Amino acid sequence: MTTAAQSNEVSERVDLWLRMYRQMLAIRLFETQVNELYTRALMPGLAHLYIGEEAVAVGVCEALHRTDYITSTHRGHGHCLAKGASPDRMFAELLGKEAGYCKGKGGSMHIADPATGNLGANAIVCGSAGIATGAAFSAKRLGTGQVAVCFFGEGALGQGVLYEVMNLAELFKLPVVYVCENNLYTEYTHYSETTAGDILMRASAFGLEAASVDGQDVRAVYGVAARLVENARRGEGPAFLVCNTYRYHGHHVGDINREYYRSKQEEQIWKTQRDPIANLGHWLIEQKLADAGTLDCWQSELEFEMEKSVAFAIAAPYPGIDQVEQDVYA
């Protein structure tokens, strides 16, 4: 006989899967609008699209509390949104507007939102590893019960600071989870040409629990991330998680012709067979947890939300000239 507690648990799990689907779709549609803003010459500078990798940010951030910390990367819009950022203020930041999270002064690669625990994206490869580890150190010293997650790409595996902070994190048993988003390409070079040895062994050599997961399966990402996060929260120390994923677009929005470093056939296989949103949608329908009409309705709702958010950002004012020296630190 199914108890009331079991029924509630199943209901909560279904709500989680539906929420993760909507969040991944929201990130996909946000990034689609970012690409359009760039091609319409409305956005200054470049952006690095997260399309294809949505399951990593959503699966990991769903395992966190609002007060937990994250640090992000140059490809960080998905992390920001998954942790609770609002699309309208995100777009405003991308367009350099005062309504943005950093008053228009951070841009695409330096968005931060302390209210949701987002300590900031970072244009420096592995530049936030020390920040996340320091946040975990403060959480342990203060006894807040918070956990820090550090997102980075596989290119960061070539940065020495990563190994310095993992060493310290293990020595002090800090509540930090290092999440490597291995999208196969370090800019324009396959990671196998730049990264020697076993990636997981790099972390386990320091004593960290090291795990790998299919980064296109949001339920799998959540399952592993939730376990590692709660272990860290209980004081069991840091962990290292490799999420194997893929970016559908180029290294940045200007990287259009990619055939000199990866084939169109490879891209199509990932898009048609490994898409995290489509695959979760098919599973939800097969399990009779949602129907195609509901998913289509969510698509329309979120498209409208993104269009409205873009309109807000375009209409928002730029910061005044009197603010040029404010919020700038050396």
Side-chain angles (χ1 to χ4, degrees):
M1 180 180 294
T2 302
T3 66
Q6 289 173 324
S7 297
N8 288 338
E9 183 179 352
V10 170
S11 178
E12 289 175 2
R13 188 53 60 97
V14 172
D15 289 343
L16 170 68
W17 292 327
L18 296 176
R19 186 169 64 249
M20 290 196 297
Y21 180 90
R22 282 184 62 98
Q23 187 62 274
M24 287 196 297
L25 183 57
I27 293 171
R28 175 75 55 91
L29 295 174
F30 179 93
E31 294 289 66
T32 300
Q33 288 287 350
V34 171
N35 198 38
E36 290 186 12
L37 287 169
Y38 172 77
T39 56
R40 291 166 59 194
L42 294 176
M43 184 182 72
L46 296 172
H48 303 75
L49 302 179
Y50 200 68
I51 293 175
E53 302 184 32
E54 297 90 349
V56 179
V58 172
V60 172
C61 288
E62 280 291 343
L64 299 175
H65 299 165
R66 183 179 176 86
T67 54
D68 288 333
Y69 298 119
I70 68 165
T71 59
S72 186
T73 71
H74 60 279
R75 197 179 309 282
H77 303 161
H79 309 142
C80 298
L81 290 165
K83 196 59 171 68
S86 174
D88 52 1
R89 294 190 63 191
M90 288 275 290
F91 281 123
E93 186 61 38
L94 295 179
L95 299 186
K97 302 300 184 72
E98 186 177 4
Y101 277 106
C102 300
K103 301 181 182 178
K105 300 176 183 179
S108 173
M109 293 186 281
H110 297 95
I111 297 175
D113 179 22
T116 60
N118 179 3
L119 300 180
N122 201 306
I124 299 172
V125 174
C126 206
S128 66
I131 297 171
T133 308
F137 181 81
S138 72
K140 180 165 185 176
R141 285 294 296 270
L142 297 172
T144 62
Q146 292 164 289
V147 173
V149 165
C150 178
F151 289 103
F152 53 89
E154 79 287 338
L157 297 170
Q159 298 296 321
V161 65
L162 178 63
Y163 306 105
E164 295 176 26
V165 298
M166 286 199 295
N167 180 65
L168 289 173
E170 178 62 25
L171 286 172
F172 296 133
K173 295 295 181 184
L174 300 182
V176 56
V177 179
Y178 300 100
V179 177
C180 176
E181 299 178 298
N182 184 1
N183 63 22
L184 302 185
Y185 292 92
T186 303
E187 291 196 356
Y188 317 112
T189 306
H190 195 277
Y191 84 99
S192 62
E193 298 180 48
T194 63
T195 310
D198 188 316
I199 293 176
L200 292 180
M201 287 295 292
R202 294 178 177 220
S204 59
F206 290 104
L208 280 73
E209 179 176 357
S212 178
V213 70
D214 179 1
Q216 304 306 92
D217 183 345
V218 71
R219 293 186 297 129
V221 173
Y222 171 80
V224 178
R227 178 176 61 81
L228 298 180
V229 165
E230 289 313 306
N231 287 348
R233 202 184 305 280
R234 286 195 298 266
E236 297 179 15
F240 181 85
L241 175 62
V242 177
C243 297
N244 298 301
T245 184
Y246 196 80
R247 55 170 165 83
Y248 292 177
H249 289 255
H251 171 58
H252 54 73
V253 285
D255 178 17
I256 305 299
N257 181 15
R258 298 178 290 279
E259 290 187 79
Y260 67 95
Y261 69 91
R262 71 185 200 191
S263 68
K264 288 187 179 294
Q265 180 183 16
E266 177 185 293
E267 292 184 358
Q268 281 302 114
I269 289 173
W270 282 87
K271 290 178 181 179
T272 58
Q273 300 178 23
R274 303 293 313 284
D275 186 76
I277 301 173
N279 288 346
L280 180 60
H282 294 325
W283 182 82
L284 290 171
I285 292 171
E286 289 173 359
Q287 299 297 313
K288 302 187 185 308
L289 302 176
D291 55 46
T294 298
L295 302 186
D296 289 342
C297 182
W298 288 351
Q299 172 102 15
S300 298
E301 289 175 359
L302 289 169
E303 286 176 349
F304 177 74
E305 179 185 349
M306 295 306 159
E307 291 169 0
K308 187 169 65 173
S309 296
V310 168
F312 165 84
I314 292 174
Y318 290 100
I321 191 68
D322 60 314
Q323 297 184 40
V324 69
E325 296 181 348
Q326 297 178 15
D327 310 305
V328 179
Y329 305 91

